[in-house]
Amino acid sequence: MPQLLDKNIEILNHRHLRGPNLWSYNPALEVLIDIGELEDYPSDLIPGFYQRLCQCLPSLHEHRCSYGEPGGFLKRVEEGTWPGHILEHLTIELQNLAGIQGGFGRARDGGRRGVYKVIVSATEEAVTLQAFKYARDLLLTLIKDNGDALALKNQIVEDLRELSDDLCLGPSTACIVNAATAREIPYIRLSSGNLVQLGYGSKQRRIWTAETDHTSAIAETISRDKDLTKSLLASAGVPTPEGRTVSSPDDAWEAAQDIGLPVVVKPIDGNHGRGVFINLYTQQEIEAAYAVAINEGSEVLVERHIIGDEHRLLVVGNKVVAAAKGETVWVTGDGKHTVLELIQIQINSDPRRGTSEEHPLNPVRIDSAVELELARQKLSASSIPGVDHKVLIQSNGNVAFDVTDLVHPEVASQVALAARVVGLEIAGVDLVAQDISKPLESQNAAIVEVNAGPGLLMHLKPASGKPQPVGEAIANHLFPPGYDFRIPIVGISGSTGRTIVAEMVTHFIRLTNLHVALSSSKGLYFGSRAIKRNSPSAWENARRALQNRAIEIAVVENDNSSLLLEGLAYDQCQVGVVLNIDPLGLFPEHNIADEDQLFNVVRTQVDVALPSGACILNADDPMIVKMSELSKGEVIYFSEDPNSSIVVEHQAKNGRVIIASRDRIILKIGAMEKTTIPIPLSLKDRPFPEWEAHLALAAAIGSAWALEIPFNVIEAGVETFVSDTNTVTGA
């Protein structure tokens, strides 16, 4: 279609909404695009576009958009839709194909002809932004029909996989995080790697892959020292192979003779199986193995060879939750190809083998261990085995074949004991046995290593057998069912009065001796101590409060601009406060041009209040009253008018209300008055620049009441509250 060849889609700007926002409960990328003259070309007017799209991305059939059924989105394309909507779905699907989680998307009018907002879920901004750019390139190729769209798609998916490997959480960490978020346990990524905080403040736990903040340095050091590990296990009655450290090739041979052939030679503090040689019989083999092993660790260990297969059992909290078995790897000669060529043809061609974390099996390469194994068979990588001649390549290959259901109870008990002896709550225990379904002693089997921070991929994506829910096991160990993993958070929104209300609530909390954090327009406070702001971002400062392990409760002020441009710094809160809405406080530059759009921005604070929590709402503001329908928890109204129809109706349902006058604050449940708190002269006679004192007090007292702070403490807080109004920088 020649008239389309010069058309383009321009990305005007983008922003990453890092927490709950007007579009979604989860982080999202909002991209503003200009499709230009393509506004005149919906998909049904582009010849062949529908067919090309289906051929390139048949998996789009699973998108249920609009019609709520498989094929719904493609039906929209066939009927006619615009590039913004198609870009939304292409971005989501390209990420899905690359193994990147995410399914939320929206496309909305951008305020002028040809301009659209496209919103897609985005945990990692850089990854999703690149996916969006790739989606644009692919869409233009499909529209113009001027390239190989299928080849482009395949390259895009591969590039996104590589980018995801670099920037996203690894699969072991991600499976724990996903299991935690399924239970609504919040998380914060603390580094560009796999250091993650689960939970907030004083209730948090930290993980680094499968290590936790309770993994002691002593236990990890013990696990790295194989000789010390064996000594401790043997003292506890756990079966281990006889052996000792050696200092030279001659000493290794002498130790082998003392132990009895065959033996295993391995570095004392190596990992990932590097430099490990098994089933060695001759002096030449043992000395050659020593030369390799010493380069992989600080010392070398020689120990009795155990007949059997290598197994890895995962222990979480004194319980075996998964087990995997290793394999013996062979090739079969054909009289034509070398050993190296046979490895590529018969082993590395297996689609389960690859270098990415998505592959359960590693490619086999000719390393020192394989060379030694071949030499024992009087072969080398360039040898050409005869027809049907079987060649052993690895005695124990990847441990990636699930055998969890076969583990004998006595084996599980001894493996769990081994983890306890070393001092690890999460451990990968390696043992060699002929049959994991029988006790170790009955087959002369033994535990050979205990590892801290074990990888989980072999259990998540085994080469055969069923995947094991190891992420759930670890998440449930860190946060047992029924454990309260949240600190209370009070989120305060509104056009005016936020800062003074936040200060008042924080003052009430301080009187309870809880260590409270306050993030407001004035700054960041831990307890009564002001913390230097290192970022102008309200989101960043609130996040710092939630990362502090000493914080037991947090108060966070959220202005409308921050809600719109950054999202909330927390996923849910115990108390959500909305004070007022200025219908003229719009953001036309961000396409928030009417009251309904502003309502959708501010409602975010109500949306995230926990079902067990409460929303403190201004009954005198009709827009805020409308938000009460969105609250999953209790609604507590405050009002200047005790005869307000909203207040009276709420009281009739036995709801809590707070009546604010210039002299006193009255708290009621239904028609029953619970207490009256006088407003001291120090507050009545001192004007606050951002809001009237009695209304600010009503909202703050409502928050304290929702937090179950005793009335006498609230009253003491009202009497003693002092604010330096001259330094108020926010609303």
Side-chain angles (χ1 to χ4, degrees):
M1 197 169 182
Q3 66 267 38
L4 292 176
L5 291 177
D6 62 343
K7 303 301 184 282
N8 196 17
I9 299 173
E10 182 182 359
I11 296 176
L12 301 177
N13 59 57
H14 76 277
R15 60 172 171 264
H16 190 213
L17 304 171
R18 295 178 284 180
N21 53 78
L22 77 161
W23 307 111
S24 168
Y25 285 109
N26 300 308
L29 183 73
E30 182 181 293
V31 186
L32 192 68
I33 62 170
D34 187 345
I35 66 172
E37 295 179 39
L38 286 172
E39 180 71 21
D40 297 323
Y41 295 92
S43 54
D44 61 320
L45 297 184
I46 303 173
F49 175 79
Y50 174 78
Q51 291 76 16
R52 292 192 294 273
L53 179 65
C54 293
Q55 184 178 11
C56 181
L57 284 160
S59 51
L60 285 172
H61 179 75
E62 299 303 317
H63 291 220
R64 307 168 68 92
C65 171
S66 302
Y67 293 95
E69 60 186 27
F73 167 66
L74 290 177
K75 187 174 181 180
R76 282 290 308 278
V77 173
E78 191 172 22
E79 294 172 343
T81 190
W82 278 262
H85 184 205
I86 300 171
L87 269 177
E88 168 205 334
H89 285 269
L90 287 185
T91 304
I92 292 170
E93 188 57 25
L94 289 174
Q95 291 188 108
N96 288 344
L97 292 172
I100 302 165
Q101 287 190 336
F104 170 82
R106 293 286 185 274
R108 294 291 184 265
D109 178 71
R112 62 182 189 272
R113 176 178 164 79
V115 176
Y116 293 85
K117 282 182 180 179
V118 181
I119 305 97
V120 289
S121 53
T123 301
E124 294 298 325
E125 176 184 6
V127 174
T128 302
L129 180 59
Q130 186 60 63
F132 187 91
K133 292 176 178 178
Y134 282 151
R136 177 191 59 177
D137 296 342
L138 181 60
L139 176 57
L140 289 171
T141 298
L142 290 165
I143 288 173
K144 299 176 182 182
D145 192 19
N146 63 348
D148 187 340
L150 185 59
L152 178 58
K153 182 218 45 182
N154 291 338
Q155 185 59 54
I156 286 171
V157 171
E158 184 61 32
D159 290 347
L160 285 176
R161 281 199 184 106
E162 292 181 5
L163 188 62
S164 175
D165 287 344
D166 290 339
L167 300 181
C168 295
L169 292 173
S172 293
T173 307
C175 82
I176 303 170
V177 170
N178 292 340
T181 54
R183 289 180 51 196
E184 299 188 346
I185 299 170
Y187 80 96
I188 299 174
R189 191 173 182 181
L190 298 176
S191 72
S192 59
N194 289 306
L195 179 62
V196 174
Q197 170 185 322
L198 299 174
Y200 295 143
S202 61
K203 296 291 183 70
Q204 70 178 265
R205 295 291 307 272
R206 290 177 182 170
I207 59 170
W208 196 323
T209 311
E211 292 189 70
T212 80
D213 45 11
H214 288 182
T215 302
S216 76
I218 292 176
E220 188 169 358
T221 301
I222 291 171
S223 72
R224 291 183 181 275
D225 188 329
K226 295 178 176 58
D227 200 30
L228 177 57
T229 298
K230 284 175 54 182
S231 174
L232 293 175
L233 294 181
S235 68
V238 176
T240 60
E242 303 87 12
R244 66 175 176 86
T245 55
V246 296
S247 57
S248 67
D250 289 340
D251 192 23
W253 173 239
E254 183 177 335
Q257 291 176 300
D258 293 340
I259 295 167
L261 299 171
V263 295
V264 173
V265 175
K266 60 185 178 182
I268 195 170
D269 50 2
N271 52 40
H272 300 292
R274 290 191 290 266
V276 177
F277 300 89
I278 68 173
N279 202 23
L280 304 180
Y281 279 90
T282 69
Q283 182 175 359
Q284 181 181 3
E285 291 173 343
I286 291 166
E287 291 179 350
Y290 177 91
V292 176
I294 192 63
N295 290 326
E296 296 289 347
S298 59
E299 289 185 278
V300 174
L301 181 66
V302 177
E303 61 186 21
R304 172 175 61 88
H305 172 71
I306 303 168
I307 298 174
D309 295 313
E310 184 180 352
H311 295 75
R312 163 62 66 86
L313 280 72
L314 179 67
V315 177
V316 177
N318 199 34
K319 181 181 179 182
V320 172
V321 299
K325 178 183 175 181
E327 64 168 4
T328 302
V329 183
W330 303 77
V331 294
T332 303
D334 59 6
K336 299 177 182 179
H337 295 93
T338 66
V339 170
L340 179 59
E341 291 169 338
L342 291 170
I343 289 173
Q344 298 303 319
I345 295 169
Q346 298 179 14
I347 299 175
N348 290 341
S349 61
D350 187 336
R352 298 173 299 176
R353 294 189 182 273
T355 56
S356 79
E357 291 183 314
E358 296 301 311
H359 294 90
L361 300 175
N362 296 324
V364 173
R365 60 187 180 88
I366 303 293
D367 57 14
S368 55
V370 173
E371 288 177 345
L372 184 58
E373 194 65 67
L374 292 173
R376 295 167 64 185
Q377 301 169 76
K378 296 181 171 49
L379 296 170
S380 69
S382 59
S383 299
I384 300 177
V387 176
D388 295 332
H389 178 69
K390 294 184 70 68
V391 179
L392 178 62
I393 303 300
Q394 290 179 337
S395 297
N396 275 296
N398 294 98
V399 181
F401 300 84
D402 181 70
V403 291
T404 304
D405 294 339
L406 302 179
V407 177
H408 192 280
E410 288 187 24
V411 174
S413 177
Q414 287 183 308
V415 166
L417 173 60
R420 288 203 308 277
V421 168
V422 174
L424 295 170
E425 60 174 346
I426 300 175
V429 179
D430 293 339
L431 62 84
V432 178
Q434 298 175 62
D435 188 346
I436 197 70
S437 67
K438 296 179 181 178
L440 300 181
E441 291 82 354
S442 68
Q443 53 186 313
N444 204 27
I447 291 174
V448 295
E449 287 186 27
V450 179
N451 303 277
L456 306 178
L457 188 60
M458 65 185 72
H459 308 300
L460 296 170
K461 294 187 175 182
S464 68
K466 63 181 181 181
Q468 299 298 324
V470 294
E472 289 89 334
I474 293 174
N476 290 339
H477 169 69
L478 296 171
F479 300 96
Y483 176 81
D484 182 8
F485 49 78
R486 292 187 178 276
I487 63 169
I489 296 173
V490 181
I492 301 171
S493 301
S495 298
T496 57
R498 301 179 311 275
T499 303
I500 193 66
V501 172
E503 286 187 308
M504 288 176 171
V505 174
T506 303
H507 178 66
F508 298 157
I509 294 170
R510 287 184 186 130
L511 296 182
T512 68
N513 292 320
L514 290 175
H515 194 46
V516 59
L518 167 63
S519 173
S520 76
S521 60
K522 280 190 177 181
L524 180 62
Y525 299 83
F526 295 157
S528 300
R529 182 168 60 95
I531 307 300
K532 183 179 179 181
R533 297 183 72 163
N534 62 2
S535 170
S537 164
W539 192 94
E540 292 283 359
N541 284 298
R543 206 66 158 178
R544 290 175 66 193
L546 301 178
Q547 290 177 26
N548 189 321
R549 304 190 79 146
I551 297 303
E552 298 171 288
I553 185 170
V555 179
V556 179
E557 174 190 341
N558 302 295
D559 62 35
N560 292 349
S561 176
S562 177
L563 285 172
L564 175 64
L565 301 178
E566 297 183 290
L568 290 170
Y570 45 86
D571 66 324
Q572 297 185 81
C573 63
Q574 187 69 25
V575 179
V577 184
V578 185
L579 303 174
N580 43 58
I581 298 178
D582 178 3
L584 300 179
L586 304 173
F587 300 88
E589 68 277 19
H590 299 299
N591 201 35
I592 304 298
D594 58 42
E595 289 186 14
D596 289 342
Q597 292 171 323
L598 183 61
F599 176 90
N600 287 332
V601 173
V602 181
R603 63 166 282 181
T604 306
Q605 181 62 81
V606 174
D607 287 335
V608 300
L610 287 160
S612 59
C615 289
I616 315 302
L617 304 180
N618 186 346
D620 301 334
D621 188 319
M623 286 182 69
I624 295 176
V625 172
K626 186 179 176 183
M627 291 182 189
S628 66
E629 302 170 3
L630 307 172
S631 176
K632 296 184 288 290
E634 181 186 9
V635 170
I636 301 176
Y637 280 121
F638 67 93
S639 173
E640 290 184 286
D641 181 5
N643 299 315
S644 158
S645 61
I646 301 299
V647 169
V648 172
E649 182 180 344
H650 195 59
Q651 286 180 287
K653 298 176 182 177
N654 208 37
R656 289 197 272 183
V657 299
I658 302 160
I659 307 302
S661 70
R662 302 281 174 175
D663 297 316
R664 62 182 56 83
I665 307 294
I666 302 173
L667 283 67
K668 293 184 175 182
I669 299 179
M672 181 181 299
E673 183 175 317
K674 299 300 292 184
T675 191
T676 298
I677 300 177
I679 300 178
L681 289 175
S682 59
L683 292 181
K684 277 194 295 187
D685 297 341
R686 187 174 187 181
F688 292 101
E690 64 269 52
W691 215 28
E692 294 183 80
H694 66 295
L695 292 175
L697 270 177
I701 289 171
S703 302
W705 194 11
L707 291 171
E708 299 182 351
I709 295 176
F711 290 145
N712 62 327
V713 175
I714 297 174
E715 188 168 355
V718 172
E719 292 174 355
T720 57
F721 175 75
V722 176
S723 175
D724 181 4
T725 58
N726 295 322
T727 65
V728 174
T729 58

